[in-house]
């Protein structure tokens, strides 16, 4: 059904890389959510009041808040689609992340409110009226919410949206909470055991726990989380696939919202090659990233001496030797400046963010390793921090 809806209501639905199409997906998902949640709220609110069930009324309020979350998502996609301006040259894509954070906060608030009202019902229990209409409404709600969870998850993954992924989790929580409400009503009717308040509290605690996780997931991109190992490896492998590229390092990826990522990296190429040809190749790599991946990449050219076997052997040996400290450590930009009494060996060393050694301690360790093997050298080491996943 999701595919049928997308085909009929999202124009150019196959071009998910287009920001305009991506916005259409988000807005369509928001409208579907608003309609479904408002109808469920009205139906469950009415049956909850008539049955005297705090858990059903709370479930109806939950649907109303879900509709508010859908409105927030709709607004987030609309604001995120605004073009760049002089004050925001990278666009407004992070509005979508903010919308996801608001949705997560609403989920958390709903859980806290449900726990409070359920505790009141535990302290002052009242019987819940049971009838076929109640069972039908709650069962219908479970079916609709199952479909909404699958619908939002499918579209969220299709366009890479944290906001819709959060909405899908919220719908899944609704399935669990409504199922628990229905179960407590059946138990109360069959065994005359009043579980309404207890079930409501348990569901509320689960929603609080889920809300905390959603807040964490939506805050991470706003704080500047490391790019995924898959993206890091894709960028590295693509750069290395071009003839003449010897290595790449100092990769940085900046996320200004879904579909608005910028990256920079250094590319090592033979110093003996024609610099105009090397520059032309770098331009082609940057353009290919933009055309193929929608990723704006800026590359810096690092010339590497390849016709001196002594320097090449030293670079390879040091690069392997430093891995005794930590397998993730790498070196780059090595060059030698020989003198009458010693040779300055100048290079950069990439320090993983979570390495226990400080910059100075790492510099001393690496320097000792180099001088033990090459006693007539003086290492001049610059410590670089890694700004990408340690899985690189």
């Amino acid at each position: 059904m999701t595919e049928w809806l997308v085909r009929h209501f999202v124009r150019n639905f196959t071009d998910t890389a287009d920001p305009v199409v991506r916005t259409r997906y988000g807005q369509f998902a928001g409208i579907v959510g608003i309609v479904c949640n408002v109808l469920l709220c009205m139906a469950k609110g009415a049956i909850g009041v008539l049955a005297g069930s705090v858990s059903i009324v709370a479930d109806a309020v939950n649907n109303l808040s879900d509709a508010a979350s859908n409105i927030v998502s709709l607004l987030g996609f609309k604001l995120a689609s605004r073009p760049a301006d002089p004050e925001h040259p990278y666009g407004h894509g992070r509005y979508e992340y903010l919308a996801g954070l608001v949705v997560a906060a609403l989920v958390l608030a709903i859980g806290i409110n449900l726990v409070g009202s359920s505790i009141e019902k535990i302290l002052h229990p009242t019987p819940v009226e049971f009838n076929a209409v109640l069972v039908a409404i709650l069962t219908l709600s479970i079916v609709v919410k199952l479909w909404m969870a699958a619908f939002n998850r499918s579209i969220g993954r299709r366009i890479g949206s944290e906001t819709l992924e959060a909405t899908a989790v919220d719908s899944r929580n609704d399935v669990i909470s409504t199922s628990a409400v229905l179960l407590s009503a059946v138990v109360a009717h069959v065994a005359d055991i009043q579980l309404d308040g207890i079930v409501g509290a348990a569901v509320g605690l689960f929603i609080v726990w889920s809300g905390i996780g959603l807040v964490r997931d939506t805050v991470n991109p706003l704080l500047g989380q490391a790019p995924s190992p898959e993206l890091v490896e894709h960028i590295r492998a693509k750069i290395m696939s071009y003839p003449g590229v010897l290595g790449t390092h100092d990769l940085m990826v900046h996320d200004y919202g879904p579909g608005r990522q910028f990256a920079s990296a250094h590319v090592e190429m033979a110093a003996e090659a024609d610099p105009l040809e090397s520059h032309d190749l770098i331009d082609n790599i940057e353009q290919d990233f933009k055309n193929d991946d929608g990723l704006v990449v800026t590359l810096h050219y690092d010339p590497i001496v390849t016709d001196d076997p002594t320097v090449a052997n030293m670079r390879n040996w040091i690069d392997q030797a430093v891995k005794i400290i930590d397998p993730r450590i790498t070196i780059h930009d090595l060059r030698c400046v020989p003198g009458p009494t010693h040779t300055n060996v100048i290079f950069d060393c990439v320090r993983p963010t979570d390495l226990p050694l400080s910059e100075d301690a790492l510099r001393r360790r690496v320097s000792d390793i180099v001088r033990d093997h090459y006693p007539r050298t003086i290492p001049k080491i610059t410590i670089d921090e890694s700004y990408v996943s340690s899985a690189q």
Side-chain angles (χ1 to χ4, degrees):
M1 184 176 181
T2 298
E3 192 65 29
W4 183 87
L5 289 171
V6 165
R7 288 177 179 275
H8 285 79
F9 293 99
V10 179
R11 188 153 43 95
N12 299 329
F13 66 94
T14 57
D15 190 11
T16 54
D18 185 348
V20 175
V21 176
R22 194 176 182 284
T23 299
R24 290 176 188 151
Y25 267 103
Q27 292 177 330
F28 175 62
I31 292 170
V32 170
I34 291 169
V35 171
C36 291
N37 281 309
V38 168
L39 292 176
L40 288 175
C41 174
M42 294 172 61
K44 284 195 282 190
I47 196 67
V49 170
L50 294 174
S53 170
V54 64
S55 59
I56 296 178
V57 171
D59 211 23
V61 174
N62 185 19
N63 289 137
L64 184 61
S65 67
D66 289 344
S69 299
N70 295 137
I71 294 173
V72 171
S73 299
L74 191 64
L75 182 61
F77 276 101
K78 182 65 176 177
L79 293 174
S81 67
R82 292 167 59 186
D85 55 39
E87 290 76 26
H88 307 91
Y90 297 103
H92 299 78
R94 285 181 176 170
Y95 269 121
E96 186 178 331
Y97 294 153
L98 290 172
L101 180 59
V102 172
V103 171
L106 286 173
V107 171
L108 186 59
I110 290 163
I112 293 172
N113 181 69
L114 181 54
V115 170
S117 60
S118 298
I119 290 174
E120 179 67 22
K121 188 65 180 280
I122 293 172
L123 296 175
H124 306 286
T126 56
V128 176
E129 183 179 339
F130 184 85
N131 55 57
V133 176
L134 180 149
V135 174
I137 292 296
L138 294 183
T139 301
L140 176 63
S141 174
I142 292 170
V143 172
V144 171
K145 281 295 184 176
L146 276 172
W147 176 80
M148 289 180 66
F151 171 77
N152 284 296
R153 184 177 298 108
S154 174
I155 293 184
R157 290 177 178 174
R158 187 175 302 194
I159 66 174
S161 171
E162 290 285 347
T163 300
L164 292 182
E165 291 276 6
T167 303
V169 171
D170 189 26
S171 296
R172 180 208 64 188
N173 292 345
D174 291 343
V175 171
I176 295 172
S177 62
T178 303
S179 298
V181 169
L182 178 58
L183 179 63
S184 68
V186 172
V187 170
H189 177 69
V190 174
D192 196 24
I193 300 175
Q194 300 301 321
L195 299 176
D196 192 40
I198 296 174
V199 168
V203 170
L205 290 173
F206 173 77
I207 293 175
V208 168
W209 175 79
S210 179
I212 292 173
L214 288 175
V215 169
R216 182 181 62 248
D217 291 341
T218 52
V219 163
N220 280 339
L222 291 170
L223 293 179
Q225 67 181 353
S228 69
E230 293 79 14
L231 177 60
V232 172
E233 176 57 25
H234 171 71
I235 294 174
R236 188 202 67 80
K238 185 161 186 169
I239 292 175
M240 293 298 298
S241 69
Y242 290 82
V245 174
L246 303 176
T248 181
H249 55 85
D250 284 354
L251 173 63
M252 295 184 185
V253 179
H254 303 279
D255 188 346
Y256 292 94
R260 296 169 178 83
Q261 290 180 315
F262 298 78
S264 62
H266 288 213
V267 176
E268 297 175 350
M269 305 182 74
E272 303 79 30
D274 185 335
L276 292 179
E277 292 182 2
S278 297
H279 186 271
D280 182 67
L281 177 61
I282 285 178
D283 281 346
N284 290 337
I285 297 173
E286 292 174 341
Q287 192 61 43
D288 288 347
F289 269 110
K290 188 171 184 179
N291 293 339
D292 301 341
D293 305 286
L295 184 64
V296 178
V297 177
T298 302
L299 300 178
H300 173 79
Y301 165 51
D302 278 345
I304 300 296
V305 175
T306 61
D307 59 358
D308 186 337
T310 301
V311 175
N313 290 337
M314 179 182 289
R315 179 170 56 247
N316 294 334
W317 186 89
I318 295 175
D319 188 50
Q320 293 302 312
V322 296
K323 296 187 186 303
I324 297 173
I325 304 172
D326 189 297
R328 298 171 295 171
I329 295 175
T330 59
I331 70 159
H332 57 84
D333 288 349
L334 184 143
R335 63 189 187 277
C336 295
V337 182
T341 61
H342 66 273
T343 297
N344 286 336
V345 181
I346 307 166
F347 60 90
D348 293 357
C349 179
V350 180
R351 173 185 177 273
T353 306
D354 58 350
L355 190 72
L357 295 175
S358 66
E359 287 189 18
D360 289 339
L362 177 60
R363 187 180 292 107
R364 288 193 297 269
R365 286 282 301 276
V366 174
S367 182
D368 289 343
I369 290 173
V370 174
R371 297 199 66 180
D372 284 346
H373 194 76
Y374 298 101
R376 290 177 56 82
T377 63
I378 296 180
K380 304 289 185 180
I381 305 169
T382 298
I383 302 297
D384 283 348
E385 294 291 339
S386 176
Y387 293 101
V388 297
S389 166
S390 59
Q392 183 185 9

